[in-house]
Amino acid sequence: MVIRSESDQDQFTLRRRPWAERSIDRGFKRLTIVLASLVAVVLLGIFLTVFSGAREAMATFGLSFLVTSGWDPVNSQYGAFTAIYGTLVSSLLALFIAVPLGVGTAIFITENLIPRSWREVIGVMVELLAAIPSVVLGLWAIFMMEPLIRPFLNLLHQSLGWFPLFSTTPKGPGMAPAVLILVVMILPIITAISRDALNQVPQELRQGAYGVGSTRWIAIFNVILPAALSSIIGGVMLALGRAMGETMAVTMIIGNSMNFSWSLLAPGNTISAMLANQFGEADGIQVSALLYAALILMLLTFAVNIMAQWIVRKFSLSYN
Amino acid sequence: MTLATPVRTAGSLLFNPGLKRNRTDKLFTSIAALFSLIAVLPLFLVLIYVLIQGGQLISVSLFTQLPPAPGLEGGGIANAIIGTFVVTLVASLIAIPVGVGGGVYLAEYASSGWFAQFIRVGNDILAGVPSIICGVFVYSAVVATRLFFGQSYSALAGGIALAVLMLPTVIKTTDEALKLVPQELSWGAIGVGASKFVTITRITLPSAFTPIATGVVLAIARAAGETAPLIFTALFSPFWPEGLFNPIASMSVLIFNFAIMPYEAQNSLAWAASFVLVILILGANLLARWIRRFASS
């Protein structure tokens, strides 16, 4: 009896875990902390690299760098206005075209307007469009899209040539084809995020709207879209950030001209296109000027992304 | 007994397609249909053009020969195909362990602490950093400082640049996939005496395998097509790959370089490379889709 009770007691005493097991546990946790911290390290590294490289140009050119448009490597005079203007105008115009298209497509594939299988097919196709590499889209833009749209651009120039935005003859690469290729690139993002947002609108809201006698589109405009609006705007802001940082397709089709022009039909430039073209061969203060422009691009995308997250968090409706 | 026969009056409950509200409805539906058509049109145009222009150039020499010197005919893109695989492999070998490890920390160890929130926000910001700036960063940190044995441009530098690009996606998918694993599974494992390490590596991670694998395959596919981070890290090389510490060719940079050359032969090689790249990337996307479907069935 005594022996049995002793063995029972033995069975139920808590044993300390072996040293090896505890140290593996602790080591694994520390390893994951280090790996997670790498994100912060890389982000900080990117910011510090760009900032420290840009300091020389910031000291030399100051804030006038943002509003002057000369880019003269011979005399070391640099101003990034053309590129900053190009970045903002190309991405905003692209957004202006892509938002109605993307949200319209999202409504078409979520609101039960066509059979489910069709909806899935369209959804998959838009997602596949997002997977096509930007450099392939650039190649396509050079050899197919630009020759295809040039007659239309010519027509635009002939009929509206007095207007500063259409005041030059389209001669190939330029801002207008770059805007169109940006539309192709950000359309899938806007569609995907709007689709998710619309899918998350509770069915009860739709049923309520139909119940009081609204037609499908009255319900969409007055009930469903407002309910999904914050996520859609967040997605639009993300797309704006993507459009501003997009490099390859734009570089290949925008013409890379450092001469400022109001015309959308003339060659232009963006910050990322300028980096892609010049950074590899630049030296001296040109590198610093390019990094100054890169810093501006980073701050722009940073601000847009932060705002996107803030909008989603601040205005998202909850239905609990 | 007389039954009231329904008549179409203004107050009728029957559907009347002639009403203004119903006609407006039709109009908006057609507009949405038109927008969807415009949205999928580029995919068809790009695919058809790439398949026609690139498909007719597919030959054995494309996969076995080096690109020709400017002005010459023929040749292939064999070095660029190998290069794309090498650089993407290097990037995956860096980004997958780091990303999965970081995701495990976020989801399993510190799901709501300030540090985890800080890392999550940082990860979202890193995902928004333009890819060209990743290239500039790796150029300044690795290439210009000649970090690896005094070599400047190298396949390794290109791989690191792509890894920076992949990292946010891998961390985010891992974090979100692990949070979807039911708590009961890990409670059960801890309950039978498994350590946290064993619980995570044997129970939690394997049950989240499918979503993580899907995300990782998509991240790899995206990295394989990226050009901007490579143009001043891995650079380009018209020769066969010479190890990790020398410049290396890749299909995406080849397309960029050859598209803007004034030679017919180079332009067609750019189309051929687009064909191979698009097939690979769409294949990877369909694979990811298949993994998801396979797991859910």
Side-chain angles (χ1 to χ4, degrees), chain A residues 21 24-25 28 33 39 49 100 108 127 131 133 135 139 213 215 217 279 291 298 302 309, chain B residues 21 25 28-29 35-36 105 109 124 133 136 139-140 171 195 197 227 259 274 281 285 289:
Chain A
E21 194 184 308
I24 288 177
D25 244 21
F28 183 68
I33 293 180
V39 171
T49 313
F108 197 60
E127 274 169 37
V135 72
L139 184 72
T215 65
W217 282 91
F279 191 78
L291 286 173
M298 255 187 87
F302 179 74
Q309 291 182 24
Chain B
R21 62 199 311 248
D25 231 40
F28 277 117
T29 305
F35 281 3
S36 312
Y105 174 72
Y109 285 109
D124 285 346
I133 292 195
V136 168
Y139 175 86
S140 311
I171 288 191
S195 70
F197 171 70
T227 319
S274 301
I281 287 173
N285 271 272
R289 223 163 267 286

mmCIF file of all heavy atoms in Angstrom, chain A residues 21 24-25 28 33 39 49 100 108 127 131 133 135 139 213 215 217 279 291 298 302 309, chain B residues 21 25 28-29 35-36 105 109 124 133 136 139-140 171 195 197 227 259 274 281 285 289:
data_model
loop_
_atom_site.group_PDB
_atom_site.id
_atom_site.type_symbol
_atom_site.label_atom_id
_atom_site.label_comp_id
_atom_site.label_asym_id
_atom_site.label_seq_id
_atom_site.Cartn_x
_atom_site.Cartn_y
_atom_site.Cartn_z
ATOM 1 N N GLU A 21 14.492 21.657 -23.368
ATOM 2 C CA GLU A 21 13.197 22.057 -23.893
ATOM 3 C C GLU A 21 12.943 23.529 -23.619
ATOM 4 O O GLU A 21 12.476 24.272 -24.497
ATOM 5 C CB GLU A 21 12.109 21.205 -23.227
ATOM 6 C CG GLU A 21 10.766 21.295 -23.925
ATOM 7 C CD GLU A 21 9.697 20.515 -23.186
ATOM 8 O OE1 GLU A 21 9.927 19.334 -22.892
ATOM 9 O OE2 GLU A 21 8.649 21.106 -22.883
ATOM 10 N N ILE A 24 15.128 25.705 -25.885
ATOM 11 C CA ILE A 24 14.626 25.737 -27.266
ATOM 12 C C ILE A 24 13.441 26.688 -27.368
ATOM 13 O O ILE A 24 13.350 27.523 -28.254
ATOM 14 C CB ILE A 24 14.218 24.318 -27.731
ATOM 15 C CG1 ILE A 24 15.450 23.467 -27.969
ATOM 16 C CG2 ILE A 24 13.381 24.378 -29.001
ATOM 17 C CD1 ILE A 24 15.143 22.052 -28.360
ATOM 18 N N ASP A 25 12.536 26.571 -26.393
ATOM 19 C CA ASP A 25 11.359 27.441 -26.369
ATOM 20 C C ASP A 25 11.748 28.908 -26.355
ATOM 21 O O ASP A 25 11.237 29.711 -27.133
ATOM 22 C CB ASP A 25 10.531 27.127 -25.118
ATOM 23 C CG ASP A 25 9.169 26.592 -25.490
ATOM 24 O OD1 ASP A 25 9.033 26.108 -26.632
ATOM 25 O OD2 ASP A 25 8.263 26.666 -24.656
ATOM 26 N N PHE A 28 13.517 30.006 -29.579
ATOM 27 C CA PHE A 28 12.605 30.165 -30.711
ATOM 28 C C PHE A 28 11.862 31.484 -30.616
ATOM 29 O O PHE A 28 11.717 32.214 -31.601
ATOM 30 C CB PHE A 28 11.615 28.993 -30.742
ATOM 31 C CG PHE A 28 10.686 29.015 -31.915
ATOM 32 C CD1 PHE A 28 11.170 28.808 -33.196
ATOM 33 C CD2 PHE A 28 9.329 29.261 -31.742
ATOM 34 C CE1 PHE A 28 10.315 28.841 -34.281
ATOM 35 C CE2 PHE A 28 8.473 29.287 -32.823
ATOM 36 C CZ PHE A 28 8.973 29.082 -34.092
ATOM 37 N N ILE A 33 11.246 37.123 -32.523
ATOM 38 C CA ILE A 33 11.279 38.572 -32.235
ATOM 39 C C ILE A 33 12.273 39.247 -33.162
ATOM 40 O O ILE A 33 11.984 40.286 -33.769
ATOM 41 C CB ILE A 33 11.662 38.834 -30.762
ATOM 42 C CG1 ILE A 33 10.566 38.340 -29.840
ATOM 43 C CG2 ILE A 33 11.891 40.323 -30.530
ATOM 44 C CD1 ILE A 33 10.846 38.554 -28.376
ATOM 45 N N VAL A 39 11.664 43.821 -40.012
ATOM 46 C CA VAL A 39 10.787 44.718 -40.776
ATOM 47 C C VAL A 39 11.103 46.163 -40.416
ATOM 48 O O VAL A 39 11.322 47.013 -41.283
ATOM 49 C CB VAL A 39 9.306 44.408 -40.473
ATOM 50 C CG1 VAL A 39 8.411 45.452 -41.087
ATOM 51 C CG2 VAL A 39 8.953 43.049 -40.998
ATOM 52 N N THR A 49 18.834 55.621 -45.481
ATOM 53 C CA THR A 49 19.651 55.641 -46.701
ATOM 54 C C THR A 49 19.239 56.778 -47.605
ATOM 55 O O THR A 49 20.064 57.579 -48.054
ATOM 56 C CB THR A 49 19.460 54.322 -47.479
ATOM 57 O OG1 THR A 49 19.562 53.243 -46.580
ATOM 58 C CG2 THR A 49 20.482 54.186 -48.574
ATOM 59 N N PRO A 100 -14.317 54.821 -61.289
ATOM 60 C CA PRO A 100 -15.634 54.394 -61.774
ATOM 61 C C PRO A 100 -15.607 53.004 -62.406
ATOM 62 O O PRO A 100 -16.497 52.187 -62.140
ATOM 63 C CB PRO A 100 -15.994 55.448 -62.834
ATOM 64 C CG PRO A 100 -15.015 56.528 -62.705
ATOM 65 C CD PRO A 100 -13.863 56.075 -61.909
ATOM 66 N N PHE A 108 -20.882 45.020 -60.347
ATOM 67 C CA PHE A 108 -21.380 44.052 -61.323
ATOM 68 C C PHE A 108 -21.123 42.619 -60.872
ATOM 69 O O PHE A 108 -21.927 41.732 -61.145
ATOM 70 C CB PHE A 108 -20.699 44.303 -62.681
ATOM 71 C CG PHE A 108 -21.402 43.662 -63.833
ATOM 72 C CD1 PHE A 108 -22.708 43.980 -64.147
ATOM 73 C CD2 PHE A 108 -20.746 42.736 -64.621
ATOM 74 C CE1 PHE A 108 -23.353 43.394 -65.211
ATOM 75 C CE2 PHE A 108 -21.388 42.135 -65.696
ATOM 76 C CZ PHE A 108 -22.691 42.470 -65.988
ATOM 77 N N GLU A 127 -8.240 39.521 -61.421
ATOM 78 C CA GLU A 127 -7.099 39.180 -60.570
ATOM 79 C C GLU A 127 -5.884 38.792 -61.405
ATOM 80 O O GLU A 127 -4.750 39.119 -61.060
ATOM 81 C CB GLU A 127 -7.464 38.041 -59.620
ATOM 82 C CG GLU A 127 -8.117 38.537 -58.353
ATOM 83 C CD GLU A 127 -8.716 37.409 -57.547
ATOM 84 O OE1 GLU A 127 -8.119 36.325 -57.510
ATOM 85 O OE2 GLU A 127 -9.803 37.618 -56.973
ATOM 86 N N ALA A 131 -1.709 40.195 -62.051
ATOM 87 C CA ALA A 131 -0.493 39.389 -61.956
ATOM 88 C C ALA A 131 0.469 39.646 -63.108
ATOM 89 O O ALA A 131 1.635 39.280 -63.022
ATOM 90 C CB ALA A 131 -0.864 37.908 -61.918
ATOM 91 N N PRO A 133 3.251 41.175 -65.127
ATOM 92 C CA PRO A 133 4.319 42.058 -64.685
ATOM 93 C C PRO A 133 4.253 43.416 -65.377
ATOM 94 O O PRO A 133 3.863 43.509 -66.553
ATOM 95 C CB PRO A 133 5.596 41.329 -65.099
ATOM 96 C CG PRO A 133 5.212 39.947 -65.361
ATOM 97 C CD PRO A 133 3.774 39.949 -65.738
ATOM 98 N N VAL A 135 6.555 45.271 -66.463
ATOM 99 C CA VAL A 135 7.442 45.458 -67.608
ATOM 100 C C VAL A 135 6.808 44.899 -68.889
ATOM 101 O O VAL A 135 6.986 45.448 -69.980
ATOM 102 C CB VAL A 135 8.829 44.833 -67.311
ATOM 103 C CG1 VAL A 135 8.779 43.329 -67.317
ATOM 104 C CG2 VAL A 135 9.867 45.325 -68.272
ATOM 105 N N LEU A 139 5.972 46.912 -72.346
ATOM 106 C CA LEU A 139 6.291 46.448 -73.700
ATOM 107 C C LEU A 139 5.051 46.507 -74.589
ATOM 108 O O LEU A 139 5.090 46.991 -75.727
ATOM 109 C CB LEU A 139 6.814 45.008 -73.614
ATOM 110 C CG LEU A 139 7.298 44.352 -74.897
ATOM 111 C CD1 LEU A 139 8.608 44.973 -75.318
ATOM 112 C CD2 LEU A 139 7.483 42.855 -74.700
ATOM 113 N N GLY A 213 -39.157 48.660 -50.940
ATOM 114 C CA GLY A 213 -39.569 48.928 -52.299
ATOM 115 C C GLY A 213 -38.550 49.595 -53.193
ATOM 116 O O GLY A 213 -38.903 50.084 -54.255
ATOM 117 N N THR A 215 -35.564 49.855 -55.909
ATOM 118 C CA THR A 215 -35.052 49.010 -56.980
ATOM 119 C C THR A 215 -33.607 48.671 -56.647
ATOM 120 O O THR A 215 -33.023 49.186 -55.699
ATOM 121 C CB THR A 215 -35.082 49.738 -58.334
ATOM 122 O OG1 THR A 215 -34.189 50.844 -58.267
ATOM 123 C CG2 THR A 215 -36.471 50.204 -58.669
ATOM 124 N N TRP A 217 -30.769 49.421 -58.080
ATOM 125 C CA TRP A 217 -29.767 50.494 -58.092
ATOM 126 C C TRP A 217 -30.054 51.580 -57.081
ATOM 127 O O TRP A 217 -29.142 52.235 -56.594
ATOM 128 C CB TRP A 217 -29.634 51.069 -59.508
ATOM 129 C CG TRP A 217 -28.813 50.134 -60.344
ATOM 130 C CD1 TRP A 217 -29.276 49.120 -61.106
ATOM 131 C CD2 TRP A 217 -27.383 50.090 -60.431
ATOM 132 N NE1 TRP A 217 -28.239 48.446 -61.674
ATOM 133 C CE2 TRP A 217 -27.065 49.025 -61.290
ATOM 134 C CE3 TRP A 217 -26.356 50.843 -59.868
ATOM 135 C CZ2 TRP A 217 -25.750 48.686 -61.602
ATOM 136 C CZ3 TRP A 217 -25.045 50.521 -60.181
ATOM 137 C CH2 TRP A 217 -24.757 49.454 -61.043
ATOM 138 N N PHE A 279 19.498 56.806 -62.118
ATOM 139 C CA PHE A 279 20.211 56.487 -60.894
ATOM 140 C C PHE A 279 21.453 55.640 -61.147
ATOM 141 O O PHE A 279 22.485 55.825 -60.517
ATOM 142 C CB PHE A 279 19.277 55.782 -59.908
ATOM 143 C CG PHE A 279 19.848 55.665 -58.535
ATOM 144 C CD1 PHE A 279 19.837 56.752 -57.686
ATOM 145 C CD2 PHE A 279 20.413 54.480 -58.090
ATOM 146 C CE1 PHE A 279 20.375 56.668 -56.424
ATOM 147 C CE2 PHE A 279 20.952 54.389 -56.821
ATOM 148 C CZ PHE A 279 20.927 55.479 -55.989
ATOM 149 N N LEU A 291 18.156 61.221 -54.994
ATOM 150 C CA LEU A 291 17.682 60.688 -53.714
ATOM 151 C C LEU A 291 16.727 61.667 -53.030
ATOM 152 O O LEU A 291 15.806 61.252 -52.320
ATOM 153 C CB LEU A 291 18.871 60.366 -52.804
ATOM 154 C CG LEU A 291 19.632 59.111 -53.223
ATOM 155 C CD1 LEU A 291 20.884 58.949 -52.403
ATOM 156 C CD2 LEU A 291 18.750 57.877 -53.070
ATOM 157 N N MET A 298 8.840 58.932 -51.471
ATOM 158 C CA MET A 298 8.575 58.107 -50.291
ATOM 159 C C MET A 298 7.591 58.782 -49.361
ATOM 160 O O MET A 298 6.665 58.153 -48.849
ATOM 161 C CB MET A 298 9.878 57.852 -49.548
ATOM 162 C CG MET A 298 10.417 56.481 -49.736
ATOM 163 S SD MET A 298 11.811 56.245 -48.659
ATOM 164 C CE MET A 298 10.996 55.693 -47.200
ATOM 165 N N PHE A 302 4.020 57.403 -48.439
ATOM 166 C CA PHE A 302 3.846 57.180 -47.002
ATOM 167 C C PHE A 302 2.577 57.878 -46.508
ATOM 168 O O PHE A 302 1.723 57.275 -45.861
ATOM 169 C CB PHE A 302 5.090 57.720 -46.292
ATOM 170 C CG PHE A 302 5.077 57.610 -44.812
ATOM 171 C CD1 PHE A 302 5.270 56.393 -44.198
ATOM 172 C CD2 PHE A 302 4.899 58.736 -44.026
ATOM 173 C CE1 PHE A 302 5.271 56.295 -42.818
ATOM 174 C CE2 PHE A 302 4.895 58.652 -42.662
ATOM 175 C CZ PHE A 302 5.072 57.432 -42.046
ATOM 176 N N GLN A 309 -5.040 53.867 -44.294
ATOM 177 C CA GLN A 309 -5.305 53.063 -43.095
ATOM 178 C C GLN A 309 -6.183 53.816 -42.118
ATOM 179 O O GLN A 309 -7.073 53.254 -41.485
ATOM 180 C CB GLN A 309 -3.987 52.685 -42.426
ATOM 181 C CG GLN A 309 -3.205 51.703 -43.253
ATOM 182 C CD GLN A 309 -1.928 51.303 -42.558
ATOM 183 O OE1 GLN A 309 -1.818 51.385 -41.347
ATOM 184 N NE2 GLN A 309 -0.958 50.872 -43.327
ATOM 185 N N ARG B 21 -38.213 54.361 -62.982
ATOM 186 C CA ARG B 21 -37.238 53.772 -62.059
ATOM 187 C C ARG B 21 -36.684 52.459 -62.612
ATOM 188 O O ARG B 21 -35.513 52.139 -62.439
ATOM 189 C CB ARG B 21 -37.863 53.562 -60.687
ATOM 190 C CG ARG B 21 -39.031 52.603 -60.715
ATOM 191 C CD ARG B 21 -39.950 52.711 -59.511
ATOM 192 N NE ARG B 21 -39.297 52.707 -58.232
ATOM 193 C CZ ARG B 21 -39.410 51.712 -57.335
ATOM 194 N NH1 ARG B 21 -40.125 50.646 -57.627
ATOM 195 N NH2 ARG B 21 -38.819 51.780 -56.179
ATOM 196 N N ASP B 25 -32.865 51.673 -63.766
ATOM 197 C CA ASP B 25 -32.193 50.481 -63.267
ATOM 198 C C ASP B 25 -31.482 49.731 -64.391
ATOM 199 O O ASP B 25 -30.322 49.360 -64.273
ATOM 200 C CB ASP B 25 -33.245 49.562 -62.630
ATOM 201 C CG ASP B 25 -32.823 49.146 -61.250
ATOM 202 O OD1 ASP B 25 -32.290 50.010 -60.539
ATOM 203 O OD2 ASP B 25 -33.010 47.959 -60.912
ATOM 204 N N PHE B 28 -28.373 51.611 -65.542
ATOM 205 C CA PHE B 28 -27.199 51.469 -64.692
ATOM 206 C C PHE B 28 -26.597 50.072 -64.803
ATOM 207 O O PHE B 28 -25.379 49.898 -64.787
ATOM 208 C CB PHE B 28 -27.546 51.783 -63.232
ATOM 209 C CG PHE B 28 -27.529 53.249 -62.941
ATOM 210 C CD1 PHE B 28 -28.674 53.920 -62.553
ATOM 211 C CD2 PHE B 28 -26.341 53.966 -63.058
ATOM 212 C CE1 PHE B 28 -28.651 55.282 -62.292
ATOM 213 C CE2 PHE B 28 -26.311 55.324 -62.794
ATOM 214 C CZ PHE B 28 -27.467 55.985 -62.414
ATOM 215 N N THR B 29 -27.464 49.059 -64.928
ATOM 216 C CA THR B 29 -26.947 47.703 -65.091
ATOM 217 C C THR B 29 -26.110 47.602 -66.360
ATOM 218 O O THR B 29 -25.025 47.010 -66.357
ATOM 219 C CB THR B 29 -28.104 46.690 -65.143
ATOM 220 O OG1 THR B 29 -28.902 46.868 -63.981
ATOM 221 C CG2 THR B 29 -27.593 45.275 -65.187
ATOM 222 N N PHE B 35 -18.611 48.707 -67.999
ATOM 223 C CA PHE B 35 -17.390 48.947 -67.220
ATOM 224 C C PHE B 35 -16.637 47.631 -66.997
ATOM 225 O O PHE B 35 -15.411 47.581 -67.103
ATOM 226 C CB PHE B 35 -17.728 49.597 -65.881
ATOM 227 C CG PHE B 35 -18.006 51.072 -65.979
ATOM 228 C CD1 PHE B 35 -18.011 51.712 -67.209
ATOM 229 C CD2 PHE B 35 -18.263 51.823 -64.838
ATOM 230 C CE1 PHE B 35 -18.263 53.083 -67.307
ATOM 231 C CE2 PHE B 35 -18.510 53.183 -64.920
ATOM 232 C CZ PHE B 35 -18.515 53.807 -66.151
ATOM 233 N N SER B 36 -17.385 46.549 -66.690
ATOM 234 C CA SER B 36 -16.709 45.263 -66.471
ATOM 235 C C SER B 36 -16.019 44.796 -67.740
ATOM 236 O O SER B 36 -14.911 44.261 -67.702
ATOM 237 C CB SER B 36 -17.705 44.200 -66.026
ATOM 238 O OG SER B 36 -18.496 44.696 -64.997
ATOM 239 N N TYR B 105 5.731 35.373 -34.756
ATOM 240 C CA TYR B 105 5.845 36.243 -33.584
ATOM 241 C C TYR B 105 4.578 37.087 -33.424
ATOM 242 O O TYR B 105 4.006 37.169 -32.344
ATOM 243 C CB TYR B 105 7.070 37.161 -33.694
ATOM 244 C CG TYR B 105 7.118 38.148 -32.571
ATOM 245 C CD1 TYR B 105 7.444 37.741 -31.278
ATOM 246 C CD2 TYR B 105 6.762 39.481 -32.766
ATOM 247 C CE1 TYR B 105 7.438 38.629 -30.224
ATOM 248 C CE2 TYR B 105 6.751 40.381 -31.718
ATOM 249 C CZ TYR B 105 7.088 39.951 -30.448
ATOM 250 O OH TYR B 105 7.064 40.824 -29.403
ATOM 251 N N TYR B 109 2.937 35.104 -30.347
ATOM 252 C CA TYR B 109 3.573 35.558 -29.118
ATOM 253 C C TYR B 109 3.079 36.910 -28.649
ATOM 254 O O TYR B 109 3.075 37.205 -27.476
ATOM 255 C CB TYR B 109 5.096 35.627 -29.308
ATOM 256 C CG TYR B 109 5.747 34.268 -29.310
ATOM 257 C CD1 TYR B 109 6.266 33.738 -30.474
ATOM 258 C CD2 TYR B 109 5.820 33.522 -28.138
ATOM 259 C CE1 TYR B 109 6.854 32.485 -30.479
ATOM 260 C CE2 TYR B 109 6.402 32.275 -28.130
ATOM 261 C CZ TYR B 109 6.919 31.765 -29.313
ATOM 262 O OH TYR B 109 7.494 30.536 -29.309
ATOM 263 N N ASP B 124 2.852 47.276 -43.069
ATOM 264 C CA ASP B 124 1.968 47.879 -44.072
ATOM 265 C C ASP B 124 2.676 49.004 -44.804
ATOM 266 O O ASP B 124 2.507 49.172 -46.011
ATOM 267 C CB ASP B 124 0.682 48.402 -43.416
ATOM 268 C CG ASP B 124 -0.260 47.260 -43.064
ATOM 269 O OD1 ASP B 124 -0.018 46.145 -43.574
ATOM 270 O OD2 ASP B 124 -1.196 47.466 -42.289
ATOM 271 N N ILE B 133 12.313 52.181 -54.949
ATOM 272 C CA ILE B 133 13.040 52.658 -53.774
ATOM 273 C C ILE B 133 13.706 51.495 -53.051
ATOM 274 O O ILE B 133 14.794 51.647 -52.494
ATOM 275 C CB ILE B 133 12.104 53.501 -52.884
ATOM 276 C CG1 ILE B 133 11.779 54.780 -53.661
ATOM 277 C CG2 ILE B 133 12.726 53.814 -51.539
ATOM 278 C CD1 ILE B 133 11.193 55.896 -52.904
ATOM 279 N N VAL B 136 16.871 51.282 -54.881
ATOM 280 C CA VAL B 136 17.798 52.340 -54.470
ATOM 281 C C VAL B 136 18.420 51.995 -53.122
ATOM 282 O O VAL B 136 19.633 52.138 -52.918
ATOM 283 C CB VAL B 136 17.049 53.694 -54.398
ATOM 284 C CG1 VAL B 136 17.888 54.743 -53.707
ATOM 285 C CG2 VAL B 136 16.666 54.153 -55.782
ATOM 286 N N TYR B 139 20.865 49.160 -53.487
ATOM 287 C CA TYR B 139 22.049 49.699 -54.187
ATOM 288 C C TYR B 139 22.952 50.416 -53.195
ATOM 289 O O TYR B 139 24.146 50.157 -53.135
ATOM 290 C CB TYR B 139 21.618 50.656 -55.307
ATOM 291 C CG TYR B 139 22.776 51.339 -55.977
ATOM 292 C CD1 TYR B 139 23.450 50.737 -57.026
ATOM 293 C CD2 TYR B 139 23.233 52.583 -55.526
ATOM 294 C CE1 TYR B 139 24.537 51.347 -57.626
ATOM 295 C CE2 TYR B 139 24.313 53.198 -56.116
ATOM 296 C CZ TYR B 139 24.963 52.576 -57.164
ATOM 297 O OH TYR B 139 26.035 53.180 -57.747
ATOM 298 N N SER B 140 22.358 51.319 -52.395
ATOM 299 C CA SER B 140 23.182 52.098 -51.471
ATOM 300 C C SER B 140 23.761 51.225 -50.366
ATOM 301 O O SER B 140 24.889 51.433 -49.924
ATOM 302 C CB SER B 140 22.352 53.218 -50.839
ATOM 303 O OG SER B 140 21.670 53.918 -51.829
ATOM 304 N N ILE B 171 4.854 38.086 -44.376
ATOM 305 C CA ILE B 171 4.520 38.321 -42.962
ATOM 306 C C ILE B 171 3.008 38.452 -42.797
ATOM 307 O O ILE B 171 2.405 37.829 -41.925
ATOM 308 C CB ILE B 171 5.210 39.607 -42.451
ATOM 309 C CG1 ILE B 171 6.699 39.361 -42.309
ATOM 310 C CG2 ILE B 171 4.608 40.049 -41.126
ATOM 311 C CD1 ILE B 171 7.432 40.437 -41.576
ATOM 312 N N SER B 195 5.516 21.620 -25.643
ATOM 313 C CA SER B 195 6.049 22.959 -25.403
ATOM 314 C C SER B 195 5.515 23.903 -26.470
ATOM 315 O O SER B 195 4.954 23.480 -27.482
ATOM 316 C CB SER B 195 7.573 22.943 -25.419
ATOM 317 O OG SER B 195 8.012 22.709 -26.740
ATOM 318 N N PHE B 197 7.165 25.713 -28.535
ATOM 319 C CA PHE B 197 7.890 25.501 -29.777
ATOM 320 C C PHE B 197 7.286 24.348 -30.567
ATOM 321 O O PHE B 197 6.991 24.470 -31.764
ATOM 322 C CB PHE B 197 9.368 25.231 -29.463
ATOM 323 C CG PHE B 197 10.172 24.779 -30.643
ATOM 324 C CD1 PHE B 197 10.470 25.658 -31.669
ATOM 325 C CD2 PHE B 197 10.645 23.474 -30.725
ATOM 326 C CE1 PHE B 197 11.205 25.264 -32.763
ATOM 327 C CE2 PHE B 197 11.385 23.060 -31.823
ATOM 328 C CZ PHE B 197 11.667 23.953 -32.840
ATOM 329 N N THR B 227 10.927 44.292 -61.991
ATOM 330 C CA THR B 227 12.091 44.781 -62.713
ATOM 331 C C THR B 227 12.799 45.884 -61.935
ATOM 332 O O THR B 227 14.018 45.880 -61.793
ATOM 333 C CB THR B 227 11.665 45.366 -64.069
ATOM 334 O OG1 THR B 227 10.685 44.504 -64.616
ATOM 335 C CG2 THR B 227 12.829 45.463 -64.999
ATOM 336 N N ALA B 259 13.413 46.101 -75.111
ATOM 337 C CA ALA B 259 12.236 46.765 -75.679
ATOM 338 C C ALA B 259 12.614 48.111 -76.259
ATOM 339 O O ALA B 259 12.046 48.543 -77.261
ATOM 340 C CB ALA B 259 11.165 46.937 -74.600
ATOM 341 N N SER B 274 8.719 37.904 -72.591
ATOM 342 C CA SER B 274 7.412 38.217 -71.994
ATOM 343 C C SER B 274 6.521 36.989 -72.005
ATOM 344 O O SER B 274 5.830 36.696 -71.026
ATOM 345 C CB SER B 274 6.700 39.318 -72.778
ATOM 346 O OG SER B 274 7.462 40.463 -72.817
ATOM 347 N N ILE B 281 4.171 33.142 -64.643
ATOM 348 C CA ILE B 281 3.489 33.866 -63.567
ATOM 349 C C ILE B 281 2.013 33.491 -63.512
ATOM 350 O O ILE B 281 1.465 33.247 -62.429
ATOM 351 C CB ILE B 281 3.698 35.375 -63.734
ATOM 352 C CG1 ILE B 281 5.138 35.704 -63.370
ATOM 353 C CG2 ILE B 281 2.730 36.161 -62.875
ATOM 354 C CD1 ILE B 281 5.538 37.109 -63.636
ATOM 355 N N ASN B 285 -0.009 31.644 -60.481
ATOM 356 C CA ASN B 285 -1.271 32.127 -59.926
ATOM 357 C C ASN B 285 -2.337 31.038 -59.941
ATOM 358 O O ASN B 285 -3.098 30.887 -58.981
ATOM 359 C CB ASN B 285 -1.761 33.335 -60.718
ATOM 360 C CG ASN B 285 -1.213 34.622 -60.163
ATOM 361 O OD1 ASN B 285 -1.806 35.214 -59.276
ATOM 362 N ND2 ASN B 285 -0.055 35.023 -60.636
ATOM 363 N N ARG B 289 -4.308 29.207 -56.771
ATOM 364 C CA ARG B 289 -5.741 29.001 -56.777
ATOM 365 C C ARG B 289 -6.088 27.522 -56.540
ATOM 366 O O ARG B 289 -6.994 27.189 -55.792
ATOM 367 C CB ARG B 289 -6.273 29.404 -58.148
ATOM 368 C CG ARG B 289 -7.504 30.189 -58.155
ATOM 369 C CD ARG B 289 -7.623 30.833 -59.512
ATOM 370 N NE ARG B 289 -7.030 32.146 -59.465
ATOM 371 C CZ ARG B 289 -7.622 33.164 -58.873
ATOM 372 N NH1 ARG B 289 -8.793 32.993 -58.299
ATOM 373 N NH2 ARG B 289 -7.052 34.330 -58.840
#
